[in-house]
Amino acid sequence: MPLVRIDAMGTAGERLDALGRAVHDALVETLGFPPDDRFQILTGHDGTHSTLRYDDYLGVHRDDGIVYVALTMRAGRHPEQKKALYRRIAELAHEYAGTEPRNVFITLTENAPIDWSLGNGEAQYATA
């Protein structure tokens, strides 16, 4: 069960939705998550009331098309699976939302089963 947070500059609802679909489809395709396992926080920033900062770190030129994708999920994926996920997110973000792959910045944080409560105040994964 991943928790996905997407932050993007100058983004209307349609683009945010497309980015959310891109990340979800990549998770389903590359890591085998169930299609109904979608928990996302989608936030657009207007550059005035809220904004995103970036530079050209590691020689990657970013611009106002920047999209930050923060994934939190249980530990256990191999490095090759993670690489495939990052690649597929960038491909689908370009296909679905027109976001240049160079503007897709992804972080993945892993944790343990006890770190999740999926409702009802229970630790479902800890007892499964």
Side-chain angles (χ1 to χ4, degrees), residues 47-119:
T48 301
H49 296 96
S50 62
T51 194
L52 302 174
R53 299 280 187 239
Y54 53 87
D55 280 312
D56 291 345
Y57 183 65
L58 295 178
V60 180
H61 175 69
R62 298 165 188 88
D63 58 34
D64 281 348
I66 189 82
V67 174
Y68 290 109
V69 178
L71 305 166
T72 303
M73 63 181 70
R74 292 182 294 161
R77 277 63 181 203
H78 299 287
E80 292 307 314
Q81 290 176 296
K82 293 175 186 179
K83 290 177 185 179
L85 173 64
Y86 304 150
R87 190 171 34 256
R88 192 64 178 142
I89 288 172
E91 291 169 353
L92 292 177
H94 187 251
E95 180 181 333
Y96 293 4
T99 300
E100 292 292 328
R102 64 185 167 81
N103 277 325
V104 180
F105 184 103
I106 304 167
T107 64
L108 191 153
T109 303
E110 296 179 309
N111 58 21
I114 191 62
D115 297 321
W116 294 89
S117 174
L118 308 178

